[in-house]
Amino acid sequence: MSRGIEIKNLSFAYDGQSILDGIDLSIERGAIVTMLGPNGCGKTTLLKTLNGLLRPKGGEVIVDGRAIDRMSPPEIARMMGHVPQGHRSSFPFTVLDIVLTGRLPHISTFSAPGERDEEVAKESLDLVGAGHLTQRPYTQISGGERQMVMIARALAQEPQFLLLDEPTSYLDFKNQIGVLKTVRKIADREGVTVIMTLHDPNHALAFSDHVVLLRKLDGKKPDGNGDGSHPHRANVVAFGPPFDVMTPMNIQEAYGMEVELVEHNGRRILLPL
Amino acid sequence: MKIALYLAGMALCLALAMPAFGEPVELTDNLGRTVTIDQPCHKIVFLVENALNTYYSVGDPQSVLAVGNNIFKSELKMPFFEAVDPDFGQKGKIGFESGLVNLEALAAEDPDLVVLWATSPEAENLKAINDTLGIPVYAVFVTSIDDMYKQVEDMGIISGRVERASDVEAIMKGYMEEVTSVTDGIPDEERPKVYWMWTDVLGTTGRNSGFNDIIYQAGGINVMNYWDNDASYEEHPPVPLETLISLNPDVIYMWYNENLDPEDVINGTDFAGWKDINAVKAGRVYEIENPFLFDAFSPRMPMALMHLAKNIQPELFADLSIDDKLDGFFVEMYSVHYPEYEHT
Amino acid sequence: MKIEYGRRWQIAVHNSSFNYKGMLIGLFLLLPIPAFLISMMIGTFPLTPGEIVGLMLARLGMDLGYPSVYETVIFQVRLPRVLMAMMVGSILSVSGAAFQGIFRNPLVSPYILGLSSGAAFGAALSLGVIHWLPVQISAFLFSLIAVGAAYFMATTKGKTPVVSLVLSGVIISAVFSALLAIVQIAVDEKSLQSIVFWMMGSMNTASWSKLESSLPLALAGCLGILILRWRLNILALGDEEALSVGMNPEKYKAIFVVAAALAASSAVAVAGIIGLVGLIVPHMLRMIFGPDHRVLIPLSITFGAAFMVLVDDLARAALGFEIPVGIITTLIGAPFFAYLLRATRAGGWE
Ligand SMILES: Nc1ncnc2c1ncn2[C@@H]1O[C@H](COP(=O)(O)OP(=O)(O)OP(=O)(O)O)[C@@H](O)[C@H]1O
Ligand SMILES: [Mg+2]
């Protein structure tokens, strides 16, 4: 039994419109995998098929040797934490109350969180460096703090996998790096496998073990009815270590734009032309 | 001197003759408004049922142009109306929406006078018809027995049949006296206390109301007269159940109620709290069973009074049979027999 | 979009020792007891507190020779009315809190899905047209029909987005208001008066039989919400956030709507449409204790009961004549609601 996530020939469509097609990925345990690609290429969609929130049209997702569509939502939630893109609350719940909701998959239907759950929630907050926020109303903390709290909430699920959808969006320069460093820390110390989507290629270069570079499907049906001169193009442009994937050629392929790779003090930076 | 007398005599004759020529006449409605009409009116719209009933006992049915479609339990009354007014079925029916009269339909009838129910001169329908359409409006607001007699007189003026109106008044008073001559002298302390139950159950008829008078003439006394609260003077006050229990009426009289019967008040589980009220203990809960026949605010008021009197003072009126009275009453009032409504 | 109201209070509660907050919660949980005792002493039938205590003792077998009417007033009139007011207050508050959680908006009421319009139509139908149909049953059935229709209308492909629910609630309310208007046009003046009186909401026809008939479903609904209350916290965060921790938001939305609607319908069926209680009570509690439903729901039950029974004391005894209690709650509630609307900018709805 292989540990990690196997994605086999995955395809997905919204109302008949193909979004994902022919995706084959193998994600090993303990790594940070970043998904990168233009708006609307299907990053969020792919993330949601990983934890069963969306049902693929074809192919399958296998987590630690088990098909995801054979698992119940609480089972999945115990294994995978998920931080959706951007969140707000109309109620001034305390940060602790919010993080406690991450304990749901560990709590039986007719009970509420107990002491142990509260401990886990507090530990998760400490882990993301938000221990001081415990009793603050969620509506009154900054966007960066909110992102940390939502990550803590996912960690309170005690997952082996953490799915983060654009954890750096809406954050300032410093907070972006702060969140990514925290993510790195979680992956290293807790051995949690992180799969996240990002928009900044340099962040992907600096903080990931593997990068999945995606592009938009060209709209042609997978089986195609053309003359064969355009072979079917799947979403994944490249998958592998960051330096192998983030080449100007691949970026051109995914985004349709020219970039150059600059080396500075042994670090590589992608710059648009 | 002689000339002066002669002139005065002339003036009097003219004044008496004027109505016959369709001259303008002033009359005061129940709200104290002055209404100027041409006498007799030939195109009248009745948006209130009780005045319509009164009118039919006095005036020319041909002059009724249209009526409101707000007649309570109209299916019960159709045979009667068709008997006293052969064209009743063809007459215009003016609709209401959320209590507001359909002004266009009303204007289309082009009446000389509209008679409607209004509790204040500011009432919306009254103002709309009077001010907007510019049609004279006679407002009906009956809160006492005397208001009923005044209504008969006013229908006489409107229809130009003043004499017939005084006859009708006399007929009504005659029947009323059959009851009041018996009940007049009864001291208040000896009168059974009567709780009047409108359909909202804990809503009753206050001290300033027509039913207050009728209950008194029937030989009882409205229990509201023993309630020391300003609300007791209202036309339709709501009474807390605990207050009602402490007022302890001897008789409960229900207005016609399709959701409730006297039996429910006496034994119903929803009325468990009423069980120590004298009226309930003695089983003296009555209902106006026929809202047409015993409509107290119509010219049939004497029949309603007899109905109440028989129940409130059963010993005093043991020999009174309403059934025997009904036919004669209808003949005198409407020239039709009861209950078949054949013309005499 | 921040909600600043009651912040000072909350800080005061949070910053002090846990025991202080616990004590305050305890106090609020016990509020119905003094409210009950006070209410039992109040009424337009003249009885002294001594006599009332004596009557209670008489119930325990001691015969103090009071006239039987005393016992009737206390046990057949006042007690059922006080209990009914408490039950209705609890139900409206709990269902209000639940609907607010489901809709993620602190300004919605239990009537948002057309429950009150349906009930009003049902009551009018019974009072004005189909006389053999008891008002309570008709109001109850039509309020559930309205909520069911709104829910069904808002559901597509197994999903019931909150925004669709709000809109379908508006439409269903409008439909039943139109049907009500038709009934009101068709009926006579006396029936119309009864309908209007019913709609204003009142407890003046409280009785044991009404209490007994509405209690089972009311209890079931409230109990369901009470047991599952923590899950409202999750639902209140949003569908995505619920899904991401393995909760099926559609299932729980349906469960809470059914529970809250059952309870609220049985309350409305016996008491008419009592406005704004379901909004004010959870709100006051949120201002003091914060939005955590684990605390909010039990406190809504107790504080709602105490609040309603005291307001009903005003309705039945303040002026010596009966004021429809719905009028009082609306008069108290409307300025409060206006204040909240401004202070919270429409409840922070996005
Ligand atoms: N619920 C939906 N119904 C129909 N189409 C959808 C739905 N959600 C997303 N899409 C479409 O699917 C495609 C992929 O969307 P997705 O959200 O996965 O993109 P993304 O890569 O996450 O984009 P972004 O970088 O902007 O977050 C888009 O073209 C989008 O318009
Ligand atoms: Mg996305």
Side-chain angles (χ1 to χ4, degrees):
Chain A
M1 183 180 89
S2 72
R3 310 249 294 156
I5 301 179
E6 292 284 336
I7 300 166
K8 289 184 184 160
N9 195 24
L10 187 88
S11 61
F12 184 87
Y14 276 119
D15 311 318
Q17 168 83 37
S18 264
I19 305 293
L20 301 174
D21 193 48
I23 296 187
D24 281 294
L25 292 172
S26 171
I27 295 168
E28 278 164 36
R29 275 285 188 106
I32 293 185
V33 178
T34 299
M35 300 201 284
L36 210 67
N39 288 130
C41 70
K43 302 181 292 296
T44 300
T45 308
L46 179 53
L47 219 51
K48 284 185 181 172
T49 54
L50 293 191
N51 70 344
L53 292 192
L54 294 176
R55 278 185 87 84
K57 194 178 81 179
E60 53 183 350
V61 174
I62 295 164
V63 180
D64 284 355
R66 294 180 62 196
I68 202 87
D69 56 9
R70 298 270 181 83
M71 293 160 78
S72 73
E75 255 182 296
I76 297 172
R78 278 193 291 272
M79 192 143 67
M80 291 187 177
H82 175 214
V83 180
Q85 213 169 335
H87 175 255
R88 296 152 115 183
S89 167
S90 345
F91 291 106
F93 285 114
T94 65
V95 162
L96 183 62
D97 285 342
I98 299 257
V99 176
L100 270 178
T101 60
R103 297 298 297 161
L104 181 88
H106 298 277
I107 294 171
S108 69
T109 306
F110 295 109
S111 42
E115 263 173 53
R116 149 123 182 99
D117 299 303
E118 220 159 283
E119 265 169 44
V120 174
K122 284 179 178 161
E123 279 166 20
S124 311
L125 275 167
D126 285 337
L127 198 64
V128 299
H132 60 290
L133 298 174
T134 316
Q135 289 301 340
R136 290 282 296 282
Y138 182 74
T139 44
Q140 294 173 24
I141 58 176
S142 78
E145 289 169 333
R146 234 177 275 168
Q147 195 65 56
M148 294 299 195
V149 170
M150 290 313 280
I151 293 174
R153 175 179 182 262
L155 287 176
Q157 294 171 236
E158 298 181 293
Q160 280 103 56
F161 300 89
L162 196 55
L163 312 183
L164 307 176
D165 202 354
E166 296 190 27
T168 56
S169 57
Y170 306 119
L171 301 190
D172 71 25
F173 189 53
K174 184 177 165 217
N175 273 332
Q176 290 184 1
I177 304 302
V179 168
L180 291 172
K181 280 186 170 163
T182 305
V183 169
R184 181 84 256 173
K185 193 174 81 182
I186 294 164
D188 293 348
R189 283 207 212 146
E190 309 293 314
V192 174
T193 308
V194 178
I195 302 158
M196 63 180 170
T197 68
L198 289 178
H199 276 305
D200 188 330
N202 291 311
H203 287 163
L205 277 175
F207 291 95
S208 357
D209 300 316
H210 295 279
V211 172
V212 186
L213 190 58
L214 296 164
R215 73 179 151 220
K216 237 176 159 138
L217 280 191
D218 61 3
K220 283 230 167 83
K221 290 223 173 78
D223 44 8
N225 48 1
D227 53 8
S229 60
H230 288 286
H232 166 61
R233 289 147 49 118
N235 295 72
V236 180
V237 176
F239 174 50
F243 292 157
D244 299 349
V245 171
M246 303 298 282
T247 62
M249 216 180 85
N250 283 343
I251 301 263
Q252 161 77 37
E253 179 78 21
Y255 290 91
M257 76 182 279
E258 307 265 319
V259 292
E260 70 173 335
L261 198 62
V262 183
E263 283 219 29
H264 179 70
N265 292 350
R267 290 161 51 166
R268 295 189 202 182
I269 303 160
L270 282 163
L271 289 175
L273 274 181
Chain B
M1 199 60 202
K2 267 190 178 167
I3 293 175
L5 256 179
Y6 179 75
L7 280 177
M10 283 267 293
L12 192 69
C13 284
L14 266 175
L16 284 176
M18 244 157 51
F21 299 121
E23 287 297 316
V25 181
E26 282 190 350
L27 73 165
T28 311
D29 69 8
N30 289 137
L31 297 176
R33 297 163 63 256
T34 302
V35 188
T36 310
I37 54 161
D38 283 341
Q39 189 190 46
C41 274
H42 288 299
K43 295 190 284 177
I44 316 170
V45 171
F46 283 92
L47 298 178
V48 52
E49 184 192 343
N50 76 334
L52 179 66
N53 275 294
T54 309
Y55 182 88
Y56 280 137
S57 67
V58 176
D60 179 1
Q62 302 252 307
S63 298
V64 176
L65 192 63
V67 299
N69 72 348
N70 56 347
I71 292 176
F72 176 52
K73 297 261 129 205
S74 57
E75 67 282 3
L76 263 175
K77 302 167 181 171
M78 227 19 94
F80 165 75
F81 284 128
E82 277 166 357
V84 295
D85 179 356
D87 300 330
F88 189 82
Q90 283 84 263
K91 290 199 167 156
K93 302 284 184 293
I94 310 294
F96 290 81
E97 194 168 324
S98 315
L100 294 181
V101 67
N102 183 342
L103 284 179
E104 286 191 26
L106 188 60
E109 298 284 347
D110 188 27
D112 298 335
L113 177 69
V114 176
V115 182
L116 52 64
W117 179 267
T119 54
S120 107
E122 299 306 310
E124 231 167 318
N125 283 330
L126 196 170
K127 284 180 80 84
I129 298 168
N130 196 69
D131 303 353
T132 311
L133 298 185
I135 301 170
V137 176
Y138 179 94
V140 174
F141 183 47
V142 177
T143 57
S144 69
I145 290 176
D146 284 340
D147 284 346
M148 244 355 270
Y149 294 134
K150 175 179 155 46
Q151 184 173 87
V152 174
E153 291 160 21
D154 286 349
M155 290 305 130
I157 297 171
I158 289 169
S159 61
R161 294 184 180 177
V162 180
E163 258 176 51
R164 169 63 187 162
S166 52
D167 290 347
V168 167
E169 198 176 329
I171 296 165
M172 287 170 69
K173 282 182 172 162
Y175 279 92
M176 294 291 279
E177 257 162 39
E178 287 188 41
V179 174
T180 54
S181 60
V182 179
T183 58
D184 257 356
I186 307 176
D188 286 0
E189 314 81 71
E190 286 172 26
R191 287 167 182 265
K193 291 182 280 180
V194 178
Y195 174 72
W196 182 264
M197 186 195 284
W198 284 122
T199 38
D200 52 357
V201 180
L202 285 164
T204 189
T205 197
R207 297 197 209 192
N208 290 333
S209 68
F211 272 107
N212 187 76
D213 297 2
I214 291 185
I215 289 167
Y216 199 82
Q217 297 209 337
I221 184 164
N222 181 4
V223 74
M224 285 295 100
N225 290 287
Y226 294 97
W227 188 22
D228 182 22
N229 190 302
D230 287 345
S232 66
Y233 291 93
E234 283 172 27
E235 210 263 329
H236 187 137
V239 187
L241 181 52
E242 289 189 20
T243 303
L244 183 62
I245 294 171
S246 61
L247 292 172
N248 201 11
D250 305 302
V251 172
I252 292 173
Y253 226 108
M254 299 163 58
W255 169 248
Y256 177 72
N257 189 329
E258 282 165 291
N259 300 64
L260 211 58
D261 292 319
E263 179 54 27
D264 299 326
V265 178
I266 296 170
N267 288 321
T269 49
D270 279 345
F271 286 82
W274 297 53
K275 68 172 193 277
D276 282 303
I277 296 175
N278 279 345
V280 175
K281 281 198 283 196
R284 297 194 65 189
V285 181
Y286 309 106
E287 182 180 0
I288 297 273
E289 292 133 7
N290 187 328
F292 166 69
L293 218 48
F294 303 122
D295 180 356
F297 294 112
S298 76
R300 294 177 295 275
M301 179 169 72
M303 298 297 108
L305 180 66
M306 286 178 179
H307 187 282
L308 259 72
K310 266 192 81 69
N311 284 326
I312 293 174
Q313 292 286 7
E315 288 102 33
L316 294 181
F317 296 101
D319 298 334
L320 175 74
S321 161
I322 299 177
D323 288 343
D324 292 350
K325 300 279 173 197
L326 278 169
D327 182 55
F329 180 77
F330 269 85
V331 167
E332 283 187 73
M333 293 288 289
Y334 296 108
S335 309
V336 293
H337 285 287
Y338 184 83
E340 301 84 13
Y341 303 126
E342 289 152 12
H343 281 271
T344 51
Chain C
M1 231 32 95
K2 288 176 183 175
I3 298 177
E4 298 287 354
Y5 64 83
R7 177 89 179 99
R8 225 172 301 150
W9 249 111
Q10 278 185 44
I11 291 173
V13 171
H14 290 314
N15 286 3
S16 50
S17 64
F18 180 71
N19 267 346
Y20 177 67
K21 187 182 177 184
M23 256 173 60
L24 203 60
I25 292 177
L27 201 74
F28 270 68
L29 286 175
L30 295 177
L31 269 183
I33 296 170
F36 171 81
L37 293 175
I38 291 169
S39 303
M40 284 306 288
M41 301 293 162
I42 295 173
T44 55
F45 192 95
L47 284 173
T48 64
E51 284 167 336
I52 293 165
V53 173
L55 281 161
M56 307 228 176
L57 293 177
R59 271 266 142 145
L60 302 176
M62 233 183 285
D63 190 6
L64 299 172
Y66 289 119
S68 76
V69 64
Y70 283 19
E71 169 151 346
T72 306
V73 167
I74 289 298
F75 295 107
Q76 298 295 336
V77 179
R78 205 173 287 176
L79 185 59
R81 174 146 185 181
V82 163
L83 292 180
M84 196 167 106
M86 294 179 92
M87 178 190 86
V88 168
S90 290
I91 291 173
L92 292 179
S93 307
V94 169
S95 58
F99 273 117
Q100 286 153 18
I102 299 164
F103 281 85
R104 285 171 232 136
N105 186 305
L107 297 189
V108 307
S109 84
Y111 304 147
I112 187 156
L113 293 181
L115 192 143
S116 53
S117 313
F121 169 72
L125 203 62
S126 155
L127 290 170
V129 186
I130 310 176
H131 297 284
W132 52 263
L133 186 64
V135 187
Q136 190 184 340
I137 291 176
S138 182
F140 179 76
L141 287 181
F142 279 97
S143 61
L144 286 185
I145 288 173
V147 172
Y151 206 92
F152 177 77
M153 201 184 209
T155 306
T156 42
K157 294 188 193 160
K159 288 209 167 66
T160 318
V162 166
V163 181
S164 312
L165 263 184
V166 174
L167 295 176
S168 65
V170 169
I171 291 166
I172 293 296
S173 295
V175 168
F176 277 99
S177 299
L179 292 174
L180 173 67
I182 294 174
V183 173
Q184 285 181 315
I185 291 167
V187 302
D188 61 90
E189 228 157 293
K190 290 287 165 216
S191 300
L192 194 65
Q193 214 158 17
S194 306
I195 292 169
V196 170
F197 203 78
W198 187 92
M199 285 199 302
M200 285 191 290
S202 176
M203 319 267 184
N204 70 342
T205 56
S207 65
W208 285 114
S209 56
K210 281 193 178 173
L211 205 58
E212 279 161 14
S213 59
S214 56
L215 203 61
L217 287 174
L219 218 57
C222 287
L223 219 61
I225 296 171
L226 187 69
I227 291 170
L228 296 171
R229 65 189 186 277
W230 176 61
R231 272 135 217 271
L232 276 171
N233 280 4
I234 303 170
L235 214 49
L237 293 182
D239 291 357
E240 289 260 284
E241 284 69 21
L243 282 167
S244 67
V245 291
M247 179 202 246
N248 180 349
E250 303 308 332
K251 179 174 125 190
Y252 278 93
K253 248 184 264 177
I255 290 175
F256 281 115
V257 165
V258 167
L262 272 183
S265 295
S266 34
V268 166
V270 290
I273 299 162
I274 295 175
L276 297 180
V277 173
L279 191 105
I280 301 171
V281 169
H283 235 291
M284 290 203 274
L285 294 170
R286 248 187 240 113
M287 285 165 81
I288 302 171
F289 298 100
D292 184 358
H293 291 89
R294 285 176 295 169
V295 179
L296 186 65
I297 294 295
L299 289 186
S300 292
I301 292 178
T302 60
F303 186 62
F307 176 87
M308 191 75 231
V309 78
L310 291 176
V311 172
D312 189 50
D313 290 346
L314 284 181
R316 66 194 169 94
L319 298 180
F321 61 87
E322 185 81 40
I323 313 161
V325 71
I327 291 181
I328 304 184
T329 59
T330 306
L331 289 182
I332 299 176
F336 187 81
F337 182 79
Y339 159 74
L340 289 175
L341 200 61
R342 298 169 67 89
T344 66
R345 297 196 208 120
W349 220 334
E350 285 145 39

